[in-house]
Amino acid sequence: MVCMVLAVPSMWLSQRVVSTEGFVSSASVAAHDAQVQDYFAQKVASSVEDATGSKIAADLVLPAARNYAQSDGFVADFSEVARQQHEWLFTAPDADTDLHLMEFNITPMINRVVQSAPLPIPVTIDREVIVTVDQSQITAGSLEDSGTLVDILAWVSVIGAIVASLIALMVSTRRTTVLAWLGVGGVLAGLAGWGIAVFTDNVVHERLANTDEASRNTIEVVVSGIVDNLSTVSLYVGIGGAVVLLVAVVARVASAR
């Protein structure tokens, strides 16, 4: 039961957060959120203004940027931004890196937009455009060691839960009673996962308190999308545990009779 409680949140974290592809897949859902789309559309327009020195060029680009933010191309480019975010969190930084500045390269986004925008003169972005988000509570590479520990805990707890459950069922004289307790373990595992999801959402909200509003809203949408997946998984695990518990209790009563 202890292994089951540990296995659900740790395996989810391993596969959906620590894993690069899992994180990118989870975070990419946020690309369909209106706040995220507007944030990057504004960033693209302001970057064009910085590159050209023209507010008119930015105003002309903004409608095209908003259309782009609702396209499949934006989803693909946003996935790359999520990959950069994951690397910033889980990879040890270089010696000269500012640990509190999360940097995103949005050059591909700008190039997609300026190619379709009705600009009076052609605009070419010949340098990387980096968007920085000041993180006062989170540092570059801060999750590297934690990610390794989560991976180890996930697999140890899953294997431990399977092996211990099989041994308990094989050596017990009242298998239905053991099965009932395993069902209780499933319910507790679901509750633990749900509690961690709520706790994580609250912690991220607190740690982003000093971040500018637009960046904060965007990151919160990304995190909420990832955490919602844990809530869903935990719900299914809890329901599964409750079903096993119910079946075991019915079987125990029937066998007693």
Side-chain angles (χ1 to χ4, degrees):
M1 287 173 63
V2 171
C3 286
M4 290 170 68
V5 171
L6 293 174
V8 172
S10 63
M11 182 55 73
W12 178 87
L13 284 169
S14 175
Q15 298 301 308
R16 304 295 289 185
V17 178
V18 179
S19 166
T20 302
E21 296 306 319
F23 181 88
V24 171
S25 176
S26 300
S28 296
V29 176
H32 301 284
D33 184 87
Q35 290 185 73
V36 175
Q37 293 171 353
D38 184 65
Y39 173 81
F40 280 97
Q42 295 289 347
K43 285 296 182 183
V44 168
S46 61
S47 298
V48 170
E49 181 178 356
D50 292 340
T52 61
S54 171
K55 181 68 167 61
I56 297 176
D59 292 339
L60 291 173
V61 162
L62 186 56
R66 286 174 173 158
N67 290 333
Y68 153 75
Q70 300 176 20
S71 69
D72 293 337
F74 174 71
V75 176
D77 292 338
F78 184 82
S79 297
E80 182 56 34
V81 170
R83 193 179 302 275
Q84 294 173 38
Q85 183 181 17
H86 184 275
E87 183 178 0
W88 188 85
L89 290 169
F90 288 93
T91 304
D94 296 332
D96 58 346
T97 300
D98 189 326
L99 298 181
H100 291 283
L101 285 182
M102 184 184 294
E103 298 182 341
F104 302 133
N105 182 359
I106 64 169
T107 309
M109 294 185 177
I110 299 172
N111 286 331
R112 281 185 189 265
V113 173
V114 296
Q115 290 171 6
S116 60
L119 296 174
I121 57 173
V123 175
T124 302
I125 305 299
D126 55 1
R127 59 180 175 80
E128 288 189 346
V129 178
I130 305 297
V131 173
T132 59
V133 179
D134 190 358
Q135 299 289 336
S136 59
Q137 299 292 329
I138 306 172
T139 58
S142 59
L143 299 183
E144 183 180 25
D145 293 337
S146 300
T148 301
L149 292 176
V150 166
D151 284 339
I152 295 173
L153 177 62
W155 288 106
V156 169
S157 59
V158 167
I159 294 172
I162 294 172
V163 172
S165 298
L166 292 175
I167 292 175
L169 289 171
M170 287 189 294
V171 303
S172 64
T173 55
R174 296 179 178 179
R175 291 188 176 89
T176 51
T177 301
V178 172
L179 192 63
W181 280 111
L182 292 178
V184 172
V187 173
L188 294 176
L191 290 174
W194 179 82
I196 289 176
V198 173
F199 175 76
T200 301
D201 209 22
N202 291 336
V203 167
V204 170
H205 181 74
E206 291 176 2
R207 292 197 172 190
L208 293 174
N210 295 327
T211 307
D212 67 275
E213 184 178 1
S215 299
R216 182 177 68 250
N217 291 340
T218 300
I219 296 175
E220 286 180 347
V221 168
V222 173
V223 172
S224 294
I226 296 175
V227 170
D228 285 347
N229 181 263
L230 174 57
S231 299
T232 302
V233 170
S234 300
L235 176 63
Y236 289 146
V237 170
I239 292 175
V243 171
V244 170
L245 173 60
L246 179 61
V247 170
V249 170
V250 172
R252 180 78 188 112
V253 171
S255 63
R257 288 179 180 175

